[in-house]
Amino acid sequence: MQPGLRYLPGHLGAEAQRQLVGSLRGAVAAAPLFTPVMPRTGRPFTVRMTNLGPLGWVSDRAGYRYQSTHPDTGQPWPAIPDPLLGLWRQVSGYPHDPEACLVNFYSGGARMGLHRDEDEEDFSAPVVSVSLGDTAVFRIGGPERGGKTETLKLASGDVLVMGGASRLCYHGIDRVLSGTSTLLKDGGRINLTLRRVTKP
Ligand code: MD5
Ligand code: FE
């Protein structure tokens, strides 16, 4: 495993997972999932997204960026729920709260190609990822495109902390294994990533 990557399987119990899904339902009602498109080409992502917190990550023909409002509603993003702030304080080892929680929703055939998360200003903060619902096949490589990669299955309740060198490693989601969880009524997978965006 990459240095700085911490894998906490089953960190969230069933009740904590259900509570998070409940908070997300309210948040998604206020800040609906949108389909981002690739810069320049406008090719749609297969993952749908929304955000929580003061800043949210968006992608459109103009580029990738963080912004304080939802691209369709123009409203500020909903707040990050307290249990997620508590998780960040518990596992991040970073002395300031996150500014963004990107919510990725994967339905059956969705995937995410290999990429690095480099739109943030502060790489000294880790990215904390929470998986909910169906199990995903997560792929992680090194800091360079084209290097060796390995896979890790991420199940509901698993938490990954990408700090240190792993913060800038290539990673993606190869596929979601349908029917592996009953947490989400209509199946699929939710991934939450808590991020610090600006330098404190
Ligand atoms: C997901 N999301 O499951 C993944 C998990 C994203 C994204 O990749 O950008 O929304 S987050 C995994 C992650 C973040 C930062 C660094 C590393 C992995 N890493 O070096 O492995 O939807
Ligand atoms: Fe990423």
PDB file of all heavy atoms in Angstrom, residues 102 104 112-113 115-117 127 138 169 171-172 193 195, ligand 2:
ATOM      1  N   LEU A 102     -17.327  16.367  -1.249  1.00  0.00           N
ATOM      2  CA  LEU A 102     -17.849  15.981  -2.562  1.00  0.00           C
ATOM      3  C   LEU A 102     -18.632  14.692  -2.390  1.00  0.00           C
ATOM      4  O   LEU A 102     -18.148  13.741  -1.773  1.00  0.00           O
ATOM      5  CB  LEU A 102     -16.675  15.798  -3.529  1.00  0.00           C
ATOM      6  CG  LEU A 102     -16.995  15.266  -4.928  1.00  0.00           C
ATOM      7  CD1 LEU A 102     -17.946  16.183  -5.682  1.00  0.00           C
ATOM      8  CD2 LEU A 102     -15.692  15.097  -5.715  1.00  0.00           C
ATOM      9  N   ASN A 104     -20.255  11.729  -4.425  1.00  0.00           N
ATOM     10  CA  ASN A 104     -20.290  11.056  -5.736  1.00  0.00           C
ATOM     11  C   ASN A 104     -21.319   9.950  -5.671  1.00  0.00           C
ATOM     12  O   ASN A 104     -21.258   9.114  -4.764  1.00  0.00           O
ATOM     13  CB  ASN A 104     -18.926  10.396  -6.048  1.00  0.00           C
ATOM     14  CG  ASN A 104     -17.822  11.393  -6.334  1.00  0.00           C
ATOM     15  OD1 ASN A 104     -16.649  11.094  -6.144  1.00  0.00           O
ATOM     16  ND2 ASN A 104     -18.174  12.561  -6.776  1.00  0.00           N
ATOM     17  N   MET A 112     -15.007   5.742 -12.529  1.00  0.00           N
ATOM     18  CA  MET A 112     -14.221   6.979 -12.550  1.00  0.00           C
ATOM     19  C   MET A 112     -12.819   6.641 -12.997  1.00  0.00           C
ATOM     20  O   MET A 112     -12.149   5.810 -12.382  1.00  0.00           O
ATOM     21  CB  MET A 112     -14.213   7.644 -11.167  1.00  0.00           C
ATOM     22  CG  MET A 112     -13.582   9.031 -11.218  1.00  0.00           C
ATOM     23  SD  MET A 112     -13.627   9.914  -9.673  1.00  0.00           S
ATOM     24  CE  MET A 112     -15.357  10.267  -9.536  1.00  0.00           C
ATOM     25  N   GLY A 113     -12.398   7.248 -14.089  1.00  0.00           N
ATOM     26  CA  GLY A 113     -11.074   6.969 -14.652  1.00  0.00           C
ATOM     27  C   GLY A 113      -9.953   7.420 -13.722  1.00  0.00           C
ATOM     28  O   GLY A 113     -10.172   8.217 -12.800  1.00  0.00           O
ATOM     29  N   HIS A 115      -7.124   9.388 -12.138  1.00  0.00           N
ATOM     30  CA  HIS A 115      -6.847  10.828 -12.094  1.00  0.00           C
ATOM     31  C   HIS A 115      -6.153  11.138 -10.776  1.00  0.00           C
ATOM     32  O   HIS A 115      -6.091  10.287  -9.889  1.00  0.00           O
ATOM     33  CB  HIS A 115      -8.166  11.615 -12.181  1.00  0.00           C
ATOM     34  CG  HIS A 115      -9.023  11.402 -10.962  1.00  0.00           C
ATOM     35  ND1 HIS A 115      -9.831  10.299 -10.808  1.00  0.00           N
ATOM     36  CD2 HIS A 115      -9.147  12.116  -9.816  1.00  0.00           C
ATOM     37  CE1 HIS A 115     -10.427  10.351  -9.634  1.00  0.00           C
ATOM     38  NE2 HIS A 115     -10.025  11.449  -8.995  1.00  0.00           N
ATOM     39  N   ARG A 116      -5.657  12.356 -10.658  1.00  0.00           N
ATOM     40  CA  ARG A 116      -5.132  12.829  -9.369  1.00  0.00           C
ATOM     41  C   ARG A 116      -5.999  13.983  -8.905  1.00  0.00           C
ATOM     42  O   ARG A 116      -6.481  14.764  -9.718  1.00  0.00           O
ATOM     43  CB  ARG A 116      -3.689  13.329  -9.508  1.00  0.00           C
ATOM     44  CG  ARG A 116      -2.737  12.271 -10.020  1.00  0.00           C
ATOM     45  CD  ARG A 116      -1.306  12.634  -9.723  1.00  0.00           C
ATOM     46  NE  ARG A 116      -0.939  13.974 -10.192  1.00  0.00           N
ATOM     47  CZ  ARG A 116       0.234  14.532  -9.962  1.00  0.00           C
ATOM     48  NH1 ARG A 116       1.166  13.878  -9.265  1.00  0.00           N
ATOM     49  NH2 ARG A 116       0.508  15.731 -10.414  1.00  0.00           N
ATOM     50  N   ASP A 117      -6.162  14.114  -7.592  1.00  0.00           N
ATOM     51  CA  ASP A 117      -6.923  15.238  -7.036  1.00  0.00           C
ATOM     52  C   ASP A 117      -5.925  16.366  -6.806  1.00  0.00           C
ATOM     53  O   ASP A 117      -5.141  16.309  -5.850  1.00  0.00           O
ATOM     54  CB  ASP A 117      -7.561  14.848  -5.700  1.00  0.00           C
ATOM     55  CG  ASP A 117      -8.668  13.815  -5.853  1.00  0.00           C
ATOM     56  OD1 ASP A 117      -8.763  13.187  -6.926  1.00  0.00           O
ATOM     57  OD2 ASP A 117      -9.426  13.636  -4.898  1.00  0.00           O
ATOM     58  N   VAL A 127      -7.132  13.654   2.049  1.00  0.00           N
ATOM     59  CA  VAL A 127      -8.523  13.486   1.593  1.00  0.00           C
ATOM     60  C   VAL A 127      -9.062  12.303   2.385  1.00  0.00           C
ATOM     61  O   VAL A 127      -8.413  11.259   2.463  1.00  0.00           O
ATOM     62  CB  VAL A 127      -8.605  13.214   0.080  1.00  0.00           C
ATOM     63  CG1 VAL A 127     -10.035  12.888  -0.338  1.00  0.00           C
ATOM     64  CG2 VAL A 127      -8.102  14.417  -0.715  1.00  0.00           C
ATOM     65  N   PHE A 138     -11.664  -0.148  -6.271  1.00  0.00           N
ATOM     66  CA  PHE A 138     -10.860   1.088  -6.259  1.00  0.00           C
ATOM     67  C   PHE A 138      -9.475   0.749  -6.791  1.00  0.00           C
ATOM     68  O   PHE A 138      -8.893  -0.269  -6.411  1.00  0.00           O
ATOM     69  CB  PHE A 138     -10.780   1.569  -4.807  1.00  0.00           C
ATOM     70  CG  PHE A 138      -9.869   2.738  -4.552  1.00  0.00           C
ATOM     71  CD1 PHE A 138     -10.178   4.003  -5.036  1.00  0.00           C
ATOM     72  CD2 PHE A 138      -8.714   2.594  -3.786  1.00  0.00           C
ATOM     73  CE1 PHE A 138      -9.347   5.094  -4.776  1.00  0.00           C
ATOM     74  CE2 PHE A 138      -7.876   3.678  -3.514  1.00  0.00           C
ATOM     75  CZ  PHE A 138      -8.205   4.929  -4.014  1.00  0.00           C
ATOM     76  N   CYS A 169      -1.482  10.548  -5.443  1.00  0.00           N
ATOM     77  CA  CYS A 169      -1.394   9.351  -6.282  1.00  0.00           C
ATOM     78  C   CYS A 169      -2.568   9.272  -7.252  1.00  0.00           C
ATOM     79  O   CYS A 169      -3.669   9.742  -6.949  1.00  0.00           O
ATOM     80  CB  CYS A 169      -1.386   8.095  -5.413  1.00  0.00           C
ATOM     81  SG  CYS A 169       0.186   7.837  -4.594  1.00  0.00           S
ATOM     82  N   HIS A 171      -5.645   7.519  -8.989  1.00  0.00           N
ATOM     83  CA  HIS A 171      -6.641   6.600  -8.443  1.00  0.00           C
ATOM     84  C   HIS A 171      -7.921   6.707  -9.246  1.00  0.00           C
ATOM     85  O   HIS A 171      -8.131   7.700  -9.964  1.00  0.00           O
ATOM     86  CB  HIS A 171      -6.909   6.929  -6.958  1.00  0.00           C
ATOM     87  CG  HIS A 171      -7.441   8.309  -6.763  1.00  0.00           C
ATOM     88  ND1 HIS A 171      -6.621   9.412  -6.676  1.00  0.00           N
ATOM     89  CD2 HIS A 171      -8.708   8.791  -6.700  1.00  0.00           C
ATOM     90  CE1 HIS A 171      -7.365  10.501  -6.546  1.00  0.00           C
ATOM     91  NE2 HIS A 171      -8.646  10.151  -6.566  1.00  0.00           N
ATOM     92  N   GLY A 172      -8.768   5.708  -9.120  1.00  0.00           N
ATOM     93  CA  GLY A 172     -10.060   5.731  -9.815  1.00  0.00           C
ATOM     94  C   GLY A 172     -10.918   4.577  -9.339  1.00  0.00           C
ATOM     95  O   GLY A 172     -10.508   3.781  -8.490  1.00  0.00           O
ATOM     96  N   THR A 193     -16.075  12.479  -0.133  1.00  0.00           N
ATOM     97  CA  THR A 193     -14.679  12.851   0.122  1.00  0.00           C
ATOM     98  C   THR A 193     -14.645  14.191   0.826  1.00  0.00           C
ATOM     99  O   THR A 193     -15.140  15.195   0.303  1.00  0.00           O
ATOM    100  CB  THR A 193     -13.811  12.911  -1.148  1.00  0.00           C
ATOM    101  OG1 THR A 193     -14.496  13.603  -2.168  1.00  0.00           O
ATOM    102  CG2 THR A 193     -13.434  11.524  -1.632  1.00  0.00           C
ATOM    103  N   ARG A 195     -12.518  17.275   2.128  1.00  0.00           N
ATOM    104  CA  ARG A 195     -11.301  17.922   1.629  1.00  0.00           C
ATOM    105  C   ARG A 195     -11.092  19.298   2.232  1.00  0.00           C
ATOM    106  O   ARG A 195     -12.054  20.067   2.392  1.00  0.00           O
ATOM    107  CB  ARG A 195     -11.406  18.120   0.101  1.00  0.00           C
ATOM    108  CG  ARG A 195     -11.605  16.842  -0.688  1.00  0.00           C
ATOM    109  CD  ARG A 195     -12.456  17.099  -1.893  1.00  0.00           C
ATOM    110  NE  ARG A 195     -12.736  15.866  -2.616  1.00  0.00           N
ATOM    111  CZ  ARG A 195     -12.005  15.425  -3.642  1.00  0.00           C
ATOM    112  NH1 ARG A 195     -10.997  16.136  -4.091  1.00  0.00           N
ATOM    113  NH2 ARG A 195     -12.298  14.277  -4.214  1.00  0.00           N
TER     114      ARG A 195
HETATM  115 FE    FE B   2     -10.151  11.522  -6.826  1.00  0.00          FE
END
